[in-house]
Amino acid sequence: MSKNIRDYKIGDEKIVKSILKAGLKPYELDVDFETTDADITNIQASYISTGGLFRILESNEGPIGMYGIYTITDSCCELRKMYLLPGYKGEGLGRLLLCDAFEQAKNKGFKEMILETNLCLIEAVAMYKKYGFDKYQPAHLSKRCDCGMRRPL
């Protein structure tokens, strides 16, 4: 099965929302388009126009995963909304998305990447640690998250 990571395009909003909902459902975490997930209601304004990016992972069956790079400062970005549809976990696709995120962030000149996650996302937290993220205490955590992590790029 071929896999391709492409840039977000206008019209992807519906699939982005559905991947997010499906990715959170097994963990009984809530989607909140008013606060925590407001950034994906206008990806162009939240990510693209501010110097970040949003990418979609596609297979032969269509979009199956995604992530966003959100600009914090000229040198720091935040990895956001990295999710896969549940049926595609365990195939190394999270690693594929994460490595693409590192490459894309470096190409944009970022020197550090941060993220917020929930410790119940055991596989994701283990992958982040494996790829050099360390826990830190950010000034603020979104409602759904209980852990901040960061790493140099």
Side-chain angles (χ1 to χ4, degrees), residues 94-109:
R95 180 180 66 243
L96 179 71
L97 287 171
L98 187 59
C99 290
D100 188 72
F102 291 155
E103 182 180 338
Q104 296 294 324
K106 286 179 193 175
N107 289 344
K108 287 198 162 280

Side-chain angles (χ1 to χ4, degrees), residues 63-102:
I64 60 170
M66 64 187 188
Y67 75 85
I69 298 291
Y70 184 87
T71 301
I72 301 296
T73 67
D74 288 346
S75 62
C76 181
C77 65
E78 182 176 359
L79 178 65
R80 289 187 175 182
K81 306 301 189 273
M82 192 171 98
Y83 291 99
L84 285 168
L85 292 177
Y88 293 91
K89 291 187 176 185
E91 297 180 27
L93 299 175
R95 180 180 66 243
L96 179 71
L97 287 171
L98 187 59
C99 290
D100 188 72
F102 291 155

Side-chain angles (χ1 to χ4, degrees), residues 38-134:
D39 56 332
I40 64 168
T41 63
N42 190 338
I43 291 170
Q44 183 67 37
S46 297
Y47 291 89
I48 315 306
S49 297
T50 60
L53 59 99
F54 205 93
R55 309 263 285 163
I56 308 289
L57 173 63
E58 294 182 313
S59 73
N60 296 342
E61 291 88 34
I64 60 170
M66 64 187 188
Y67 75 85
I69 298 291
Y70 184 87
T71 301
I72 301 296
T73 67
D74 288 346
S75 62
C76 181
C77 65
E78 182 176 359
L79 178 65
R80 289 187 175 182
K81 306 301 189 273
M82 192 171 98
Y83 291 99
L84 285 168
L85 292 177
Y88 293 91
K89 291 187 176 185
E91 297 180 27
L93 299 175
R95 180 180 66 243
L96 179 71
L97 287 171
L98 187 59
C99 290
D100 188 72
F102 291 155
E103 182 180 338
Q104 296 294 324
K106 286 179 193 175
N107 289 344
K108 287 198 162 280
F110 294 113
K111 305 292 183 212
E112 181 180 44
M113 181 178 284
I114 63 172
L115 62 83
E116 295 179 7
T117 191
N118 189 299
L119 294 173
C120 76
L121 302 169
I122 296 167
E123 304 92 340
V125 171
M127 181 180 67
Y128 296 143
K129 287 179 181 177
K130 179 180 177 181
Y131 281 87
F133 282 92
D134 292 313

Side-chain angles (χ1 to χ4, degrees), residues 135-149:
K135 288 183 183 178
Y136 85 108
Q137 185 59 51
H140 170 268
L141 282 169
S142 63
K143 187 168 65 171
R144 185 173 55 233
C145 298
D146 60 6
C147 176
M149 301 182 88

